Amino acid sequence: MKKPKRDIVDSLDFRSTNFENTGKAMYELAKTLFPICRSITGQGFRDSLQILNHTLEGGGNLQIHSIKSGTKVFDWIVPPEWHIKDAYIITPDGEKICDFKKHNLHILNYSESIDKEIELDKLQEHLYSLEEKPDAIPYVTSYYKRRWGFCITHNERKKLKQGKYRVFIDTKHDESGVLNYADFIIPSTQNSKEEILISTYLCHPSIANNEISGPIVTIYLAKWLLNLKERKYNYRFVIVPETIGSIVYIHKHLQHLQKYTKAGFVLSCLGDDNAYSLVHSPSQNTLSDKVALHTLKNKENFKKFSFLDRGSDERQYNAPLVNLGVVGVCRSKYLDYEEYHTSKDDLNFISSKGLMGGLKAMQEIVLNLEINETYKNTIICEPNLGKRGLYHTLSTANDIPLACNFLAYCDGKNDIIDIAEILNMQAYEFKDLLEKILEFKLLQTSNMKT
Amino acid sequence: MKKPKRDIVDSLDFRSTNFENTGKAMYELAKTLFPICRSITGQGFRDSLQILNHTLEGGGNLQIHSIKSGTKVFDWIVPPEWHIKDAYIITPDGEKICDFKKHNLHILNYSESIDKEIELDKLQEHLYSLEEKPDAIPYVTSYYKRRWGFCITHNERKKLKQGKYRVFIDTKHDESGVLNYADFIIPSTQNSKEEILISTYLCHPSIANNEISGPIVTIYLAKWLLNLKERKYNYRFVIVPETIGSIVYIHKHLQHLQKYTKAGFVLSCLGDDNAYSLVHSPSQNTLSDKVALHTLKNKENFKKFSFLDRGSDERQYNAPLVNLGVVGVCRSKYLDYEEYHTSKDDLNFISSKGLMGGLKAMQEIVLNLEINETYKNTIICEPNLGKRGLYHTLSTANDIPLACNFLAYCDGKNDIIDIAEILNMQAYEFKDLLEKILEFKLLQTSNMKT
Amino acid sequence: MKKPKRDIVDSLDFRSTNFENTGKAMYELAKTLFPICRSITGQGFRDSLQILNHTLEGGGNLQIHSIKSGTKVFDWIVPPEWHIKDAYIITPDGEKICDFKKHNLHILNYSESIDKEIELDKLQEHLYSLEEKPDAIPYVTSYYKRRWGFCITHNERKKLKQGKYRVFIDTKHDESGVLNYADFIIPSTQNSKEEILISTYLCHPSIANNEISGPIVTIYLAKWLLNLKERKYNYRFVIVPETIGSIVYIHKHLQHLQKYTKAGFVLSCLGDDNAYSLVHSPSQNTLSDKVALHTLKNKENFKKFSFLDRGSDERQYNAPLVNLGVVGVCRSKYLDYEEYHTSKDDLNFISSKGLMGGLKAMQEIVLNLEINETYKNTIICEPNLGKRGLYHTLSTANDIPLACNFLAYCDGKNDIIDIAEILNMQAYEFKDLLEKILEFKLLQTSNMKT
């Protein structure tokens, strides 16, 4: 089967003239977002949303929402809003270490305040380090149990001497605060009610692949979608703090999501250039599974994960009583790379090329969803394709032309992704051919399968 | 996936204090049953039933039934009751060989009487030996065609010289006799009507694995079940002569069995320590198939057989118009071990350890059946497991706790065996966790699948 | 599983006394048909039909039909009738080459007339040869675009010198002519309405495997079917010019074919002795697929092809709005052998043995279709087969007799092909056993599956 040579994604449906610089622009955005100290609540999260909104450049506006701390959402309570001013340790020698202002991973995320002098052995109970990755600061959180603590490289920890340490953490858990999240809908150009859900999370502090790459790719996907001439579906973008944020969102929109969601994707860890990963839904057989597997499976270093390997908001979207059939899409998947949840997951771990690959994968998924439809022939027996310029006129060419193979499988049951699988192509690669065939009125849509 | 360390079967649901000695006790019972000459009818069969009944120790009583010889059962006639007093051959040298009193396998089982002098070449027509196993006496029966004969080792047969042999067999086929069989029902503690069928056969004479191991494991399984605090199902135990016995039993109970049998197991060859075997039902997809495969497949030397390899009463229980979806459970399966149907299948071939393994396999099957149910979450989105002590409170532990994984698959469609397969565990291993989860009211039963 | 020793097809259901010479007779017929110049229309096609009709020897008559050139059939127009009188080239040296009278492959099939002198470089545009097969004349057609041309070996082409060539082609495209095709129905002996479709094509000129072998095997299959005592199905034989002929045939009979076709086979390339090939229908799961795969898969050098590898009239019979679930049956499949569509596919490439193998494969397919039925036991539990001579009476024989295995799977859901697959046999091999079992009234037909 010959494959089209040109790079279809680059040539197809792009009007944004500055698109060639997208990879660089995404990486620049990463540099802006990286230093901010985010958590599931608080100013860092809000600031980051504003930067993302600004990146949309007037193409649309993120709707930024808030919900009060203490609100009950299903089995959960929205936690207090967390504020941090400063955090550090003064060693017996007077050295300032674990300085939050130098690296915001030093603070146990969501830590409570402390200000006292303690002995080293008492301090040890509040230190987190990784013996097997001795020069990395781990990323640790304690959202649902109140603790204080610091994260430190194991090498530095080993050097600590006996003596009195001053520990200082200036944080606040504001019970009358809020939790923020945002959404943004790009409407169908065909008045459809059906939606594609794109969800990502923004609550991690200075970690690059996990997780500023997800929101960055999400925003650039939205920018690209805004420029498409035609959109069969509505696209619902959701940016939340992980877990509690998606629970809040589902709590508010459950009925609507269940009624209109055609497919859904949780975008995470999309900035490195080492792999493409798919986290399946529990049943593995939703449209989301089908289109994502179809799109990603032939990519270099593709890895397929079961729902057992889940770890992000697909947990909530796929909970049995929610059941949206959502999949996770990553490059190197969380928990599956060495640098995960440490200071090593930094701006060097991701790249312009990695982010561009993540964006392109999502664009291909969108194009495959948009073209996917179930058609049925209008003509009994094979149509005479020769007279329409779609078949060779001499018998010396023995192969059956693509148009003929494509039509042979348009039986009202196979959708275009099914046919693309049979013909070893990507569904969106049929775009030009399908337009010609529809012009010739050789196919009609069939509503037997969607 | 971490597996529970403790041996759950030994700790779970046992109250019988002398249970640790069960293996030895089963082997002692084997020694008692082994010498008795059984056939499909007659005193040996009745005596063996009494011994089994006594072993129940008042926990219950085997119901011993009889049906008159000559009774029509479906396509069959209950055969005459067979009695044997003595059988031997006197060689030309005056030596007594093939002495029934020394080994009851010497007599062709169900043989007719004879008392005469014949030449060696005539005698040869009535001798059965195995050239390829020259020092084993074969076990041979002729139930549905009247013959007389002796079984002999091939080595002994080769030594026979020309001359007159006196053949003496004193048996009787009593047309006004009976065929016996027994059953015994252990009731559900929950007033269920549904039954688990446990069937075994007792008609073989001095053969150990095939077949006194089956009835022995059956009786000890019953003793253990009697001691369980809770039983979801009724347990119907059936002890019959092979083939004709199960036909008689089905003839009497067909409608009831078809209405209430939830799963069924034919227990046979459960005394050696060399393998675990499953004989599938014709469709391979009944609950019996599912639970037995789930339980046995990871055991050492597990072997899976198709229904083509059947050989015992599963033939009748699975006949197309009976269709109970029953499977066979064995350690080394009949026809699949060297010693099968010979004098080598003796008390040395089985062992206390082998019988205990057979019993344990059946206990695990019962525990898996008992726990199996289809549940559905009660809470939308993941429940907050941390506040119930079922989730770690620090993000350093990256794995998803078992409770969370378990709940993620309780979607009203997966039953617990399905979920155990996904999580690479045995269904019964969820017992403690499930109790906790039900206490927290995080699940409700679903009737979509059973 | 023991397999019957005798060659069942040779002994089963044949009454024609001269049948042993069938292989030779088929090869003789090939010699008669080979030299004729056929095309999709014209005298050669008609003459060939007459020869085939004569071969039926009064057993029946091919119904020879015609349709006027210019008639619209679905998306196509029946082309003009083509006549050829002569065609050749005179070289500058006065030599006559590409002489149609010496080998009819020299003419571009369906070529238009020409009579003029041209330079070599102009001539080259009208020559067809195969560089990679330099001593073969290719077979080339141009049915739907008017051209003139000659086919020539590449070796001969390379020797052509500069100079004036006289090209002479005397053909006619008669707009008021006809296209011919034939059919022939062998009726069911049981008044069934259901039909088996056997379709082949006859439009190729002097090519042996592709395609006079197909019509030859078809006619001898018909002769054999006429002699069968019993036929459950009607057999509809169709002999057409490829593509346009089957479109014409479907146009005329679509409703009837869709209503009554139980299974269908396109017979092509059935004369060599190198392989057996199956071209699946698009869904791969029709009765045609099932019976053909069952029959052919254990044959030497069996090759299975997807519908993507189709190339003959199965394209029309399986077009989505026709959807007859037809498969292609070949020995070496078109496009899958070196000699395909060249002068090398000649009488040396096929053989008496090859044709006989092709015929036998089709006879086995027919026998498997004829016997195939879904039965259900009449007796509850296993029947007593011993009293009917279908079971051994001594327990020394450990294997379960075929009758018992066969009955065990007659559950009203498995058809005989399913059971044959389970028992590793051919369905038709059950014939004698099934007759005995039906005599004993142990089975009844079931209408749950056909």
Side-chain angles (χ1 to χ4, degrees), chain C residues 29-40:
Chain C
L29 179 55
K31 290 203 276 188
T32 308
L33 287 168
F34 186 78
I36 300 171
C37 179
R38 282 166 294 270
S39 182
I40 52 173

Side-chain angles (χ1 to χ4, degrees), chain C residues 134-175:
Chain C
D135 58 347
I137 311 167
Y139 165 54
V140 187
T141 69
S142 182
Y143 292 135
Y144 298 100
K145 179 167 178 179
R146 214 55 70 77
R147 285 187 176 91
W148 67 265
F150 289 92
C151 301
I152 183 172
T153 71
H154 204 69
N155 284 338
E156 191 168 12
R157 183 178 190 166
K158 281 189 296 183
K159 280 184 276 175
L160 300 182
K161 298 176 225 163
Q162 294 300 325
K164 286 269 181 204
Y165 286 78
R166 178 165 177 230
V167 291
F168 180 79
I169 299 176
D170 182 1
T171 58
K172 191 178 138 194
H173 290 85
D174 184 358
E175 304 276 351

Side-chain angles (χ1 to χ4, degrees), chain C residues 181 183 236 238 240 245-253 257:
Chain C
Y181 61 97
D183 64 1
R236 176 178 292 267
V238 176
V240 286
S246 52
I247 293 170
V248 163
Y249 200 81
I250 292 165
H251 188 256
K252 189 156 174 198
H253 298 285
L257 291 172

Side-chain angles (χ1 to χ4, degrees), chain B residues 77-94:
Chain B
I77 305 290
V78 175
E81 184 171 335
W82 185 63
H83 300 282
I84 179 163
K85 284 205 184 131
D86 206 357
Y88 53 80
I89 300 171
I90 307 292
T91 69
D93 298 342

Side-chain angles (χ1 to χ4, degrees), chain B residues 74 193-195 197 236 246-262 316-317 321-324, chain C residues 380-381:
Chain B
F74 299 128
K193 287 282 201 176
E194 290 181 315
E195 296 183 356
L197 173 66
R236 175 177 292 266
S246 52
I247 293 169
V248 164
Y249 199 81
I250 291 164
H251 189 258
K252 190 157 174 198
H253 298 285
L254 180 61
Q255 274 197 310
H256 182 94
L257 291 172
Q258 289 186 328
K259 193 162 177 192
Y260 297 119
T261 303
K262 180 86 179 171
Q316 310 311 323
Y317 293 121
L321 302 190
V322 181
N323 194 24
L324 299 177
Chain C
I380 297 169
C381 289

Side-chain angles (χ1 to χ4, degrees), chain A residues 74-77 108 128 139-145 147 243 246-247 250 254 282 306-308 310-311 315-316 318-323 335 340-341, chain B residues 1 376-385 387-388 391 393-396 398-401 404-413 422-423 442 444:
Chain A
F74 299 129
D75 197 39
W76 302 71
I77 304 290
L108 172 70
Y128 301 97
Y139 165 54
V140 188
T141 69
S142 184
Y143 293 133
Y144 298 100
K145 180 168 179 179
R147 287 185 175 89
T243 303
S246 52
I247 292 169
I250 291 165
L254 181 61
S306 127
F307 190 64
L308 284 179
R310 71 200 180 284
R315 295 170 57 162
Q316 309 310 324
N318 289 322
L321 301 191
V322 180
N323 194 26
L335 282 167
Y340 171 74
H341 268 199
Chain B
M1 188 64 48
K376 193 164 185 169
N377 281 255
T378 54
I379 285 175
I380 297 170
C381 289
E382 289 184 349
N384 184 333
L385 293 173
K387 71 185 185 192
R388 297 177 178 94
Y391 214 101
T393 56
L394 254 185
S395 70
T396 45
N398 281 319
D399 61 308
I400 295 178
C404 184
N405 272 335
F406 179 78
L407 285 165
Y409 288 96
C410 287
D411 60 356
K413 280 175 250 156
I422 293 169
L423 297 176
L442 299 179
Q444 57 191 331

Side-chain angles (χ1 to χ4, degrees), chain C residues 219-277:
Chain C
I219 287 296
Y220 275 85
L221 182 67
K223 284 163 76 77
W224 171 77
L225 268 158
L226 283 164
N227 280 330
L228 287 188
K229 265 177 269 182
E230 294 278 339
R231 287 180 299 270
K232 186 156 68 180
Y233 298 113
N234 301 283
Y235 288 81
R236 176 178 292 267
F237 291 87
V238 176
I239 305 175
V240 286
E242 208 175 4
T243 303
I244 185 67
S246 52
I247 293 170
V248 163
Y249 200 81
I250 292 165
H251 188 256
K252 189 156 174 198
H253 298 285
L254 181 61
Q255 274 196 309
H256 182 95
L257 291 172
Q258 288 187 329
K259 191 161 178 192
Y260 296 118
T261 304
K262 180 84 180 171
F265 306 87
V266 171
L267 271 50
S268 172
C269 300
L270 282 161
D272 74 294
D273 198 32
N274 303 324
Y276 288 91
S277 308

